[in-house]
Amino acid sequence: MADTAPRDGTTLEHELEAMLEIERFDPPAEFRRQALLSDPAVYEEAARDPQGWWARQAANLDWFEPWDAVLDDSDPPFYKWFTGGRLNASHNCVDRHVEAGIGDRVAYHWHGEEGERRDVTYADLHRDVQRFANALKELGVQAGDVVGIYLPMIPEVVVAMLACARIGAPHNVVFGGFSAESVKERMEFSEAKVLVTVDGARRKGRTAPIKATVDETMGDLASLQTIVVVRHAGLPDVPMTAGRDVFYDEVCAAADPVCPAESLDAEHPLFILYTSGSTASPKGILHTTGGYMTGVSATHRYVFDLKPESDVYWCAADVGWITGHSYIVYGPLANGTTSVMWEGAPDYPHRGIWWEVAERTRATILYAAPTAIRTFMKWGHELPARYDLSALRLLGSVGEPINPKAWLWYQQVIGGGRCPIVDTWWQTETGAIMITPLPGITSAKPGSATKPFPGVFADVVSESDGESVETGQGLLVLTQPWPSMLRTLYKEDERFVETYFARFGKETYLVGDAARRDRDGYLWIIGRIDDVVNVSGHRLSTAEVESAIVAHEKVAEAAVIGQSDEDTGQAIAAFVTLNGEIEGSDELVAEIGAVVAERIGKFARPKRIIWADDLPKTRSGKIMRRLLRDIAEGRALGDVTTLRDPGVMAALESQVNEAQAQEQ
Ligand code: WT7
């Protein structure tokens, strides 16, 4: 039985309330005794000689050629790591484990939505990756060509990524929740030559006809030569265009089984991953091979205290986000980890499915988003208590700030009070975890990501003058380069410099988050300072959603904000001005939701639409989102004197009140 003793809801509630008073949680003695890192001297060691520290981490990888220099910082912010070194990410994730005789080890315990199970070993990956890599070559893909990947959570997504890495073709994975329209945009920007997708994706008992939907948007893409279709959902009559579309299983069967891993320069591009920024057009974050592999393997090993022989590690993210790239694929595989891979949603076929999978696989490490934890909290502690979670020894959190109550619930109910929690702060841009406890060393404070990982240098600086703020709030910056940092924005070098290095100079990376440093030097992430919204850990730009909304013919103007939300962290609220005399209606709400779903994806649909006759603007015509946030969250209004027409706010307030009265 689980050692989470069953207790009634009221008792638990009281216990958690009382625990909110506890300021620090030291690493449990038993955990500390067995931890890979338990001596705080590691921080000083890395601080004294960061390059030496990172070089030692890089040396854990297999290199075909050693590097000449650890860091080339001659042209900031265009840093290069491990220059002259040559390696291959797919070789490091697969071949070297097979060569070391652990090919039989399971890389993924895959669990399908309908109860299917597939164990994929390192030897299986070795076989499949080589075949698909050769198949890609047959299709004309060469080193440097971009390959798009739009797949659900199935082992083939990993095979496809590694096959690209093997031949030096950067992949561009698009999260399955994005619409076909978004896929097209990303394929177009990156000039992808091949797209790997699926017949259909299953979600909660239903099957979405992915290939058919993709076909509707992909027709007129000049760069795209081939669409490879993985047969997964067993859909009949998958539309296939002769001369362009091929089936994955067929091209693999026809391919040569042996494909040696290409020896690539350390700075060879490994992948592009689009993410949202301040403007409507997504940013193509570019990561390269040597530094990225160094960053993800080192952080995966030490933050999760990984023992590859005995751990069963589960990162419950989607491969389509950076968390999946770094901590489902590259970090874990580089370390020879056995992972759990879950295809589905947290509530299908039932709300205990995560705990059922954790029990069945004897998962020892779980890495999840606060949104998921808050949802489970709402469903009640009785559910997880029905399963044996006693194998768990470490818990991780990622993607958004975790509120102390959820942190405690996670620690008590899921971790049985014995597991350290690592609250990990990082970004698509940073490639790997940057701020985090080391579970055998750092005392945790619920809600704080604590301190930079060894070899990472963070600071909180004043918004006005960029001076370091000893204690208190300011902007989070990273003050020294790190191996897994983005190298540029794909084909947009200027935008790269402008976005991250214009404010405080070319040596200070502007994160885009506000943070607070407390008296003990602990860092508390507050949230984004730009127009980026974080819904359930999914990053969206307000401008992106606005431009989708105004695509509706009846909409004149829209302003989108992130509103605090109990479940999803932030939720999208949209202030919408309609054309002429058109009146808002439930139908229009649904139509606007549908436009957003089509242009971006269902997860971006506004939770709330507020009809507004006019929007608050400065004299230069800039929408003042700060005021909209105040209104939506029921706060006293800030300064309105800079508004072109201060009367707008009074009208809006009454519209919001009216809407709220209706919602209740
Ligand atoms: C933004 C980056 C990190 C991979 C998933 C998200 C927020 C991320 C935390 C955390 C508070 C966090 C930040 C960051 N964020 N982790 N532990 N505590 N906030 O990657 O989509 O690039 O988003 O997520 O605001 O800037 P992303």
Side-chain angles (χ1 to χ4, degrees), residues 585-606:
S585 65
D586 289 350
E587 257 163 47
L588 258 181
V589 168
E591 281 175 32
I592 289 172
V595 177
V596 174
E598 192 188 310
R599 299 237 160 185
I600 305 172
K602 281 190 184 149
F603 69 95
R605 283 179 301 194

Side-chain angles (χ1 to χ4, degrees), residues 49-56 58 63 67-73 79-85 266-267 290-291 294 482-483 487:
D49 176 17
Q51 291 189 33
W53 158 262
W54 286 120
R56 282 194 293 287
W63 293 77
W67 57 85
D68 308 318
V70 175
L71 172 65
D72 172 356
D73 56 2
Y79 295 98
K80 291 186 185 126
W81 285 84
F82 309 112
T83 53
E267 286 296 340
T294 299
W482 63 99
R487 295 303 190 261

Side-chain angles (χ1 to χ4, degrees), residues 81 85-88 142-145 164-165 167-170 262-271 286-292 487:
W81 285 84
R86 300 187 78 84
L87 77 168
N88 184 289
Q142 295 173 352
D145 289 342
C164 291
I167 60 174
E262 212 58 59
S263 169
L264 300 168
D265 189 276
E267 286 296 340
H268 190 84
L270 180 59
F271 65 85
L286 181 83
H287 282 290
T288 58
T289 308
Y292 174 81
R487 295 303 190 261

Side-chain angles (χ1 to χ4, degrees), residues 186-263:
R186 283 158 172 74
M187 293 306 112
E188 195 166 21
F189 285 162
S190 65
E191 293 170 272
K193 215 166 174 179
V194 172
L195 172 66
V196 187
T197 189
V198 71
D199 57 348
R202 311 187 301 179
R203 189 78 178 165
K204 300 197 198 191
R206 305 229 304 251
T207 301
I210 301 296
K211 173 61 172 55
T213 315
V214 161
D215 274 0
E216 287 169 21
T217 63
M218 222 59 69
D220 48 353
L221 266 192
S223 59
L224 193 76
Q225 292 168 6
T226 311
I227 299 185
V228 180
V229 183
V230 176
R231 282 190 259 230
H232 168 60
L235 286 186
D237 309 323
V238 183
M240 298 291 278
T241 303
R244 185 195 65 180
D245 302 348
V246 295
F247 281 113
Y248 171 86
D249 50 316
E250 290 171 9
V251 290
C252 284
D256 192 327
V258 179
C259 176
E262 212 58 59
S263 169

